[in-house]
Amino acid sequence: LPTAAPKRLLSPPTGAAGMGTPVLAVADGRMILVNQGLVDFSPDDAELAAAIAHELAHNILRHRARLDAAGVDRGLAKQFGRNARMFKQTEIEADRLSVWLLAGAGYDPSAAARFWSRFGQRKGRPMFQASTHPSWRDRVAALEAEAATIAAARMLGRPLHPPLIDAPPPLE
């Protein structure tokens, strides 16, 4: 049977954001901010949930507090050396946990890979990849691997339990 395309439950208001609106979601350790650009960019609720799950994962894993405790510089120096490496590690961790959060919320875990694939190939993206984030291709490959782990656990009848929850690795 053919399946219908996922539907949007959250519709952006008409004229609320033009094509030039940046796509933005951030986590501050307590809350998540999502702007209209992200809502407009997401073709369905599952992909919007994927972006929100990524930011929620930053808060669940206490990334801001862990980066602060490690003495990471949030200024210009965050793009280099140890600072960049630690920021990138938190991005990878948030990506991994986001897939589990999607699955637990009843969304298709592969929505995360779809979102980041489209985000990585969007028009107007920066010419150079920030050293604080994985490339979109690496990100998508890791998300697909995490979704495969979830699918395998489901096939074996195992409960879904994200490995990062019990013991997040130290920031290095």
Side-chain angles (χ1 to χ4, degrees):
L1 290 177
T3 58
K7 294 181 181 172
R8 286 293 301 269
L9 297 177
L10 180 61
S11 298
T14 305
M19 290 300 289
T21 303
V23 177
L24 176 70
V26 294
D28 72 358
R30 294 179 312 127
M31 298 186 316
I32 297 167
L33 169 81
V34 175
N35 80 344
Q36 188 65 45
L38 179 64
V39 174
D40 292 345
F41 179 78
S42 303
D44 58 54
D45 287 346
E47 285 194 29
L48 179 59
I52 292 170
H54 172 87
E55 297 305 326
L56 182 59
H58 280 303
N59 286 351
I60 291 169
L61 294 169
R62 301 180 50 249
H63 284 156
R64 183 168 288 258
R66 289 169 59 205
L67 288 167
D68 288 346
V72 170
D73 188 326
R74 293 184 191 281
L76 192 56
K78 91 176 203 177
Q79 298 291 327
F80 305 102
R82 175 182 174 269
N83 293 319
R85 191 173 59 253
M86 287 187 171
F87 271 103
K88 191 175 201 174
Q89 181 181 338
T90 65
E91 288 299 319
I92 292 167
E93 288 177 7
D95 284 347
R96 289 184 60 207
L97 181 55
S98 72
V99 181
W100 292 86
L101 295 174
L102 283 174
Y107 288 101
D108 176 4
S110 66
R114 287 194 312 270
F115 173 84
W116 290 108
S117 180
R118 285 184 342 90
F119 188 79
Q121 298 175 70
R122 73 195 182 285
K123 291 180 182 176
R125 71 183 186 275
M127 184 179 287
F128 298 103
Q129 172 70 38
S131 59
T132 56
H133 290 68
S135 74
W136 72 267
R137 285 180 179 88
D138 289 346
R139 183 170 242 169
V140 168
L143 291 164
E144 288 171 342
E146 210 67 36
T149 300
I150 292 168
R154 284 179 168 161
M155 285 187 68
L156 295 171
R158 293 190 180 144
L160 297 184
H161 186 78
L164 285 171
I165 293 296
D166 294 331
L171 293 177
E172 301 180 308

